[in-house]
Amino acid sequence: MAVMGVQVVVTLLAASLMQKMAPHWSFARWLLCNGSLRRYKHPSDEELCALAGKQRPKAKRDRRMNGMMDDKPLSVPRDIDLRLDTSPITAVDALVLRYFLDYQWFVDFAVYSTAVYIFTEGYYCLVDPRKEMNIGVLWSLLTVVFSVKVFFMVMHHYFRSEEGGERSVCLTFAFFFLLLAMVVLVIREDYLEFGLEPALAGVSTNLESILKQRGWEWTLPIAKLAFKLGLVALCSFLGACLTFPGLRLAQTHLDALRMAADKPLTQVLLHGSFLAPVLVLVMWIKPISRDFLLHAPMGKQTVQIMSDSAYNTARLWTIVGLCLLRLAVTRHHLQAYLGLAERWVEQMRKEAGRIPVLEIQRKITRIYCYVSVVSLQYLGPIILTFHCTLLLKTLGHHSWGLYPEPPPVPAAAAVALWRPGAEDVRAAMEQVTAVLGGIFTPLFFRGLFAFLTWWVAACQVVTSLFGLYFHQYLAAS
């Protein structure tokens, strides 16, 4: 323990538990297979024929005698009185789900990553090991990377669709979010207080002193431009990835409200979870959030309700609470998605004509088989927002309010450790670490992760509001 370090031991223990416990207990599998979600089973050929008032010929000779050719699909009237049977989703049923293993691994990794982060926060609070690397930060960074990977995997699935409409929607929203990101980045800090401009100014100052020693100071404007272009490209990519999760969230929100028509408390929770990204957006709009709380008007005077550090702490806890609220209503959204099978049957009964039996069975089965994809679309933004908030707290040197906020390390002291010409490997590594610490300061991480947290919420607001408009007006017409 003393040789390896407490954090390394906890990391190895968490990785081992995640591997060994997955076949026996999994939070992701429990979320889908705890018996609370019920799937709709597709009817058999015999059941559909019985509802249509005819008996399905079984032998080939009988099919010829009844005038049914082999190449003609079996069909039934659309207005048959079809009632779908339900059954709880079990662990065996989940094995046929598309991307189920990816869903299980990703959600379980996020759970273990959160547990490791909580341990490291308590460890740093009690022991304060200043010379050790925070392993919880590494786990949270990996969770953020895996979240983006999951979004890309699902978006790639839409791009491979034969219809091609999903591909056009993703590209359209990617271009829209590209323009929106450029507009957001030119807004002054007096209105959107990400802290990106002070962060870039500090990085430029520290980087300039290093580049001058090499004669590369001319590359500084190029580096600043490349960073902003890269950030805009990342925003466009995230916006495209979050397009269909937002559209799906709007659909399941409307359906969940219909299912909870006689449950006022559940409706309040559903509305609160749906409006959670809006509150995240407001908390970074300075005139109506920080300025209002720090200089609240009270008659002709202004009253300071809380300090800057207290507001930062309250903002962190609010985002964590909103993520937990969204997690609490997960079952309602997933059950609303599974209810699409029943809604499709009701819509089919209102239409005239005949429909192939295979199409009915395929449609109902497809809705169930994609429940793990819908789970990824719902839980992915929650996990991404949550771990961006954790990184904002730790790398940005904020505080949870349980212990004092640590003062940021002065960047100038870190840069001063740079000594070119050192030949010792250990000394060279220390110099590189000192230089990187002087460039990527807590001020820089505050601006970066505050912007990413806000941007993920902005993408969810835009796509979910468009989804509400689409499902309430365009799809209905």
Side-chain angles (χ1 to χ4, degrees):
M1 181 80 71
V3 176
M4 300 182 63
V6 176
Q7 295 190 81
V8 177
V9 172
V10 172
T11 294
L12 296 177
L13 180 61
S16 178
L17 283 176
M18 185 172 61
Q19 180 184 8
K20 301 296 183 182
M21 291 294 293
H24 308 287
W25 185 88
S26 166
F27 177 77
R29 188 169 61 243
W30 173 85
L31 203 59
L32 283 182
C33 309
N34 61 3
S36 61
L37 294 177
R38 302 189 67 86
R39 69 183 183 94
Y40 290 87
K41 299 187 293 185
H42 68 80
S44 63
D45 295 353
E46 289 76 13
E47 292 173 344
L48 290 173
C49 289
L51 290 173
K54 64 178 181 178
Q55 186 177 3
R56 181 176 184 265
K58 296 182 180 180
K60 185 180 293 185
R61 178 173 174 272
D62 295 335
R63 292 174 63 85
R64 288 201 188 97
M65 290 178 62
N66 285 274
M68 297 177 63
M69 302 301 294
D70 290 339
D71 56 349
K72 184 178 180 181
L74 182 64
S75 63
V76 295
R78 290 179 177 268
D79 58 351
I80 59 174
D81 188 19
L82 177 59
R83 305 293 177 182
L84 299 178
D85 295 330
T86 63
S87 65
I89 300 178
T90 62
V92 177
D93 297 332
L95 295 178
V96 301
L97 298 178
R98 187 157 192 148
Y99 298 121
F100 175 74
L101 295 179
D102 299 282
Y103 155 77
Q104 180 180 348
W105 186 91
F106 169 66
V107 175
D108 287 345
F109 183 86
V111 171
Y112 283 98
S113 175
T114 304
V116 172
Y117 179 87
I118 293 174
F119 171 81
T120 55
E121 284 294 296
Y123 180 63
Y124 269 65
C125 178
L126 297 176
V127 183
D128 193 21
R130 296 185 180 274
K131 294 185 178 180
E132 293 187 24
M133 177 184 176
N134 193 325
I135 295 295
V137 170
L138 179 59
W139 279 76
S140 293
L141 282 172
L142 288 176
T143 306
V144 170
V145 173
F146 291 147
S147 300
V148 178
K149 176 182 177 295
V150 165
F151 290 143
F152 177 75
M153 177 187 69
V154 176
M155 185 176 66
H156 183 255
H157 170 74
Y158 284 114
F159 266 73
R160 291 185 301 174
S161 175
E162 297 178 358
E163 299 177 357
E166 292 87 350
R167 186 186 305 115
S168 301
V169 171
C170 287
L171 293 176
T172 302
F173 272 91
F175 180 72
F176 170 77
F177 282 116
L178 179 71
L179 298 178
L180 183 61
M182 290 189 290
V183 171
V184 169
L185 286 177
V186 299
I187 297 178
R188 293 186 304 172
E189 293 285 336
D190 297 335
Y191 300 101
L192 289 177
E193 52 156 358
F194 304 129
L196 272 178
E197 290 301 326
L200 289 178
V203 170
S204 301
T205 302
N206 297 332
L207 195 59
E208 184 178 8
S209 61
I210 299 173
L211 294 178
K212 280 185 176 180
Q213 299 179 10
R214 302 289 181 176
W216 294 348
E217 62 272 10
W218 57 272
T219 61
L220 187 60
I222 300 177
K224 293 175 62 176
L225 179 63
F227 175 79
K228 290 195 172 183
L229 291 178
L231 191 59
V232 168
L234 177 62
C235 291
S236 176
F237 176 74
L238 286 177
C241 291
L242 292 170
T243 296
F244 278 100
L247 298 178
R248 180 71 68 186
L249 176 65
Q251 182 186 42
T252 56
H253 175 69
L254 293 174
D255 294 341
L257 288 177
R258 295 190 191 100
M259 295 172 59
D262 56 342
K263 300 176 182 178
L265 179 59
T266 303
Q267 288 189 334
V268 170
L269 294 177
L270 289 171
H271 283 303
S273 66
F274 186 79
L275 296 176
V278 179
L279 183 57
V280 176
L281 293 186
V282 171
M283 287 190 296
W284 265 278
I285 302 178
K286 193 174 182 180
I288 61 177
S289 58
R290 185 186 294 270
D291 287 349
F292 179 78
L293 293 176
L294 268 62
H295 308 285
M298 190 70 66
K300 296 182 179 181
Q301 299 178 348
T302 58
V303 179
Q304 184 175 355
I305 299 178
M306 59 176 63
S307 61
D308 279 333
S309 60
Y311 178 77
N312 293 332
T313 300
R315 184 162 55 187
L316 293 175
W317 280 112
T318 302
I319 298 176
V320 171
L322 294 176
C323 291
L324 293 178
L325 174 61
R326 281 204 152 184
L327 182 63
V329 297
T330 301
R331 191 193 70 82
H332 299 280
H333 283 271
L334 296 183
Q335 188 60 59
Y337 167 75
L338 292 171
L340 287 178
E342 188 178 27
R343 288 187 58 200
W344 181 81
V345 171
E346 293 175 356
Q347 181 64 30
M348 180 191 69
R349 284 201 293 262
K350 299 177 183 179
E351 301 172 355
R354 301 180 67 86
I355 183 172
V357 170
L358 184 60
E359 184 177 345
I360 297 177
Q361 297 170 341
R362 185 180 298 164
K363 180 66 177 181
I364 297 172
T365 304
R366 183 182 299 171
I367 291 175
Y368 165 65
C369 288
Y370 276 86
V371 68
S372 56
V373 178
V374 176
S375 302
L376 284 174
Q377 291 177 331
Y378 182 82
L379 295 174
I382 300 176
I383 294 173
L384 178 59
T385 302
F386 181 72
H387 282 275
C388 281
T389 305
L390 299 184
L391 291 172
L392 171 61
K393 183 270 165 189
T394 304
L395 295 179
H397 283 197
H398 286 301
S399 172
W400 293 117
L402 306 177
Y403 47 93
E405 181 177 349
V409 179
V415 177
L417 295 175
W418 173 262
R419 300 186 302 273
E423 298 178 357
D424 184 68
V425 176
R426 183 175 179 180
M429 289 298 298
E430 291 179 354
Q431 293 170 12
V432 171
T433 304
V435 170
L436 293 178
I439 297 175
F440 301 108
T441 60
L443 185 63
F444 171 78
F445 288 120
R446 283 189 184 188
L448 178 62
F449 286 106
F451 177 78
L452 289 179
T453 304
W454 187 90
W455 181 254
V456 172
C459 293
Q460 293 180 79
V461 170
V462 172
T463 54
S464 59
L465 290 180
F466 178 81
L468 282 181
Y469 175 76
F470 175 80
H471 291 295
Q472 283 190 314
Y473 301 102
L474 300 182
S477 61

